[in-house]
Amino acid sequence: MSQYIINQLNRAEVQTTPFPHFYLERSLPSNEAATLINEFPPLDKGGSFNVNNVETPKRLRQYIQKFDSAEVRHILGEKFSLDLIGKPMMATLRGYSRVKDGRIHTDSKTKLITVLIYLNENWPATTGRLRILRNGEDMEDYTDEFIPGPSSLVAFKVTDNCWHGYPSFEGKRQAIQINFLVDNKAKNKHQFFHGISASVKSWFK
């Protein structure tokens, strides 16, 4: 993995309110970000796709796999006071946002940490920007709003109150989602779900 992103992760400051999270406006040098954006598979249907079910270019796959390293696990574990060594990792891809996407939610309790890496050339829209929310009812009651730009990264600890979402946006919105999970049973369950979801979506292409 580029030493650049390692340095960026090390320097990231965790915000503890309303739940532990941090944001990197640029997690990669411009040339590396451009390469991954150009190689991102064309996913023009909504929903998440397990990376193993998508024809993924070699460099993008290698980039994702590097999050599975002991170095990154150690950095993220220290940031969020968790032991990630030996915990299974899962990666999914999103390429398109539907009107209904972005609704307020918390992540599954089977996830320990969520990392979102956005791979969009730019983001002029005022909607589609991820918000860190104080509650599960009001999209306007947020502490932070993050632009899903070229290599921007958001990471957060999954807690009972990790409410997040974004104002409705329809269109291309590319992202890698990486999760560290509680155990392999949880990983198998998530992969099965995303695999079935991808198959159903293919019927409507």
Side-chain angles (χ1 to χ4, degrees):
M1 178 176 289
S2 167
Q3 189 60 38
Y4 183 94
I5 191 172
I6 295 297
N7 292 340
Q8 292 293 90
L9 289 172
N10 273 318
R11 293 170 183 163
E13 294 186 11
V14 175
Q15 306 299 316
T16 58
T17 303
F19 54 89
H21 68 278
F22 68 81
Y23 173 70
L24 299 176
E25 183 177 0
R26 295 268 182 163
S27 64
L28 290 170
S30 297
N31 62 324
E32 291 186 30
T35 296
L36 296 188
I37 290 170
N38 290 334
E39 292 192 351
F40 201 91
L43 302 174
D44 58 358
K45 301 294 182 183
S48 297
F49 295 81
N50 191 298
V51 69
N52 294 324
N53 297 329
V54 177
E55 188 173 336
T56 310
K58 183 178 179 180
R59 280 181 290 191
L60 183 60
R61 187 174 291 272
Q62 288 176 336
Y63 171 75
I64 293 170
Q65 289 172 343
K66 288 175 181 177
F67 275 85
D68 209 6
S69 69
E71 186 173 22
V72 172
R73 287 172 176 270
H74 177 73
I75 294 170
L76 293 176
E78 283 212 328
K79 296 286 184 186
F80 296 117
S81 301
L82 290 170
D83 182 3
L84 299 181
I85 303 302
K87 297 298 183 182
M89 190 194 89
M90 179 182 70
T92 54
L93 304 176
R94 281 180 174 266
Y96 189 87
S97 176
R98 300 161 293 188
V99 172
K100 69 177 184 178
D101 291 332
R103 294 174 182 172
I104 299 173
H105 67 285
T106 60
D107 281 9
S108 165
K109 292 182 179 180
T110 57
K111 298 176 181 179
L112 298 170
I113 290 176
T114 293
V115 181
L116 299 166
I117 305 114
Y118 295 103
L119 292 172
N120 303 289
E121 292 182 3
N122 52 58
W123 200 264
T126 57
T127 57
R129 302 180 180 199
L130 186 72
R131 291 180 176 180
I132 301 298
L133 304 167
R134 293 189 178 91
N135 61 70
E137 303 294 333
D138 187 0
M139 184 69 78
E140 298 304 315
D141 190 7
Y142 60 94
T143 61
D144 295 291
E145 182 180 67
F146 302 129
I147 297 174
S151 83
S152 60
L153 182 152
V154 180
F156 61 87
K157 185 175 184 178
V158 176
T159 62
D160 290 339
N161 69 322
C162 65
W163 300 105
H164 58 285
Y166 58 84
S168 180
F169 174 83
E170 184 173 18
K172 185 177 178 180
R173 188 177 185 271
Q174 298 184 156
I176 302 168
Q177 178 168 318
I178 291 172
N179 291 106
F180 292 94
L181 305 167
V182 294
D183 53 33
N184 283 313
K185 181 179 179 181
K187 181 175 181 178
N188 292 337
K189 181 179 178 181
H190 283 290
Q191 288 184 330
F192 175 78
F193 172 79
H194 289 302
I196 292 295
S197 178
S199 297
V200 170
K201 292 181 184 73
S202 70
W203 300 342
F204 298 95
K205 286 185 177 180

